[in-house]
Amino acid sequence: MLPLDTPIAGGPVFSFTFGKSETETEWTDRRSLSWDDLVKILTSHEPGRKTGPCIVPAVFSGTARKKTEAVQIDVAFLDSDTGVPLEQIVAALKVRGWTAAVSSTHSHMMRRTEVSEANWDRFFRENPGSGPEDYLREKK
């Protein structure tokens, strides 16, 4: 683990919190990365179930992963769940002049998702006339 704010190869340094799995409860693994190291992490994953290590674009004041405890955010992680092709996302970023690492996530091109039956039922009670695509668009 690198201490926060350790210069890496003379370039800018970005700080993050890492977790070992989706069941992490103590968020204490804080690291600083160069842009190149960050890009390697964000673009090297296997599509499939959402398991294993994760990276959070925030450093927290304590050990809980709560937005009220976020004390530092160096980069933004944006998520597009609407099926927009990666090439279209890249084009939109270039128009704005933004530097970005564009990568699919664990669920890229997955055709199935699991949802809570209770949440599903509540959504349709509260939104009569809605279809499954409405639920997925709004909740997933």
Side-chain angles (χ1 to χ4, degrees), residues 6 22 26 31 46 54-56 106 121:
T6 299
E22 68 278 7
E26 296 285 317
R31 303 183 212 170
E46 295 294 323
C54 68
I55 180 172
V56 180
H106 73 282
D121 291 342

Side-chain angles (χ1 to χ4, degrees), residues 123-124 127-140:
F123 178 82
F124 288 104
N127 300 279
S130 294
E133 65 280 0
D134 298 312
Y135 176 86
L136 294 173
R137 191 177 304 110
E138 187 170 324
K139 299 296 182 181
K140 292 297 263 180

Side-chain angles (χ1 to χ4, degrees), residues 43-131:
T43 60
S44 60
H45 66 281
E46 295 294 323
R49 292 191 51 81
K50 189 176 184 176
T51 60
C54 68
I55 180 172
V56 180
V59 175
F60 302 100
S61 60
T63 61
R65 182 182 169 185
K66 296 180 179 178
K67 63 182 173 185
T68 57
E69 293 192 22
V71 293
Q72 180 176 342
I73 299 175
D74 293 339
V75 300
F77 285 3
L78 305 176
D79 193 8
S80 175
D81 291 331
T82 61
V84 173
L86 294 178
E87 296 78 17
Q88 189 174 342
I89 294 170
V90 170
L93 293 165
K94 284 183 179 180
V95 166
R96 288 166 179 79
W98 294 352
T99 300
V102 178
S103 176
S104 61
T105 63
H106 73 282
S107 60
H108 181 69
M109 300 303 288
M110 299 291 284
R111 300 187 55 83
R112 304 190 119 185
T113 189
E114 293 183 17
V115 299
S116 158
E117 185 175 358
N119 291 344
W120 178 270
D121 291 342
R122 180 175 33 259
F123 178 82
F124 288 104
R125 271 194 314 275
E126 294 171 357
N127 300 279
S130 294

Side-chain angles (χ1 to χ4, degrees), residues 19-38:
K20 294 178 194 77
S21 75
E22 68 278 7
T23 60
E24 189 77 34
T25 56
E26 296 285 317
W27 295 86
T28 58
D29 184 358
R30 296 173 178 95
R31 303 183 212 170
S32 294
L33 303 172
S34 68
W35 178 255
D36 289 343
D37 289 336
L38 175 62

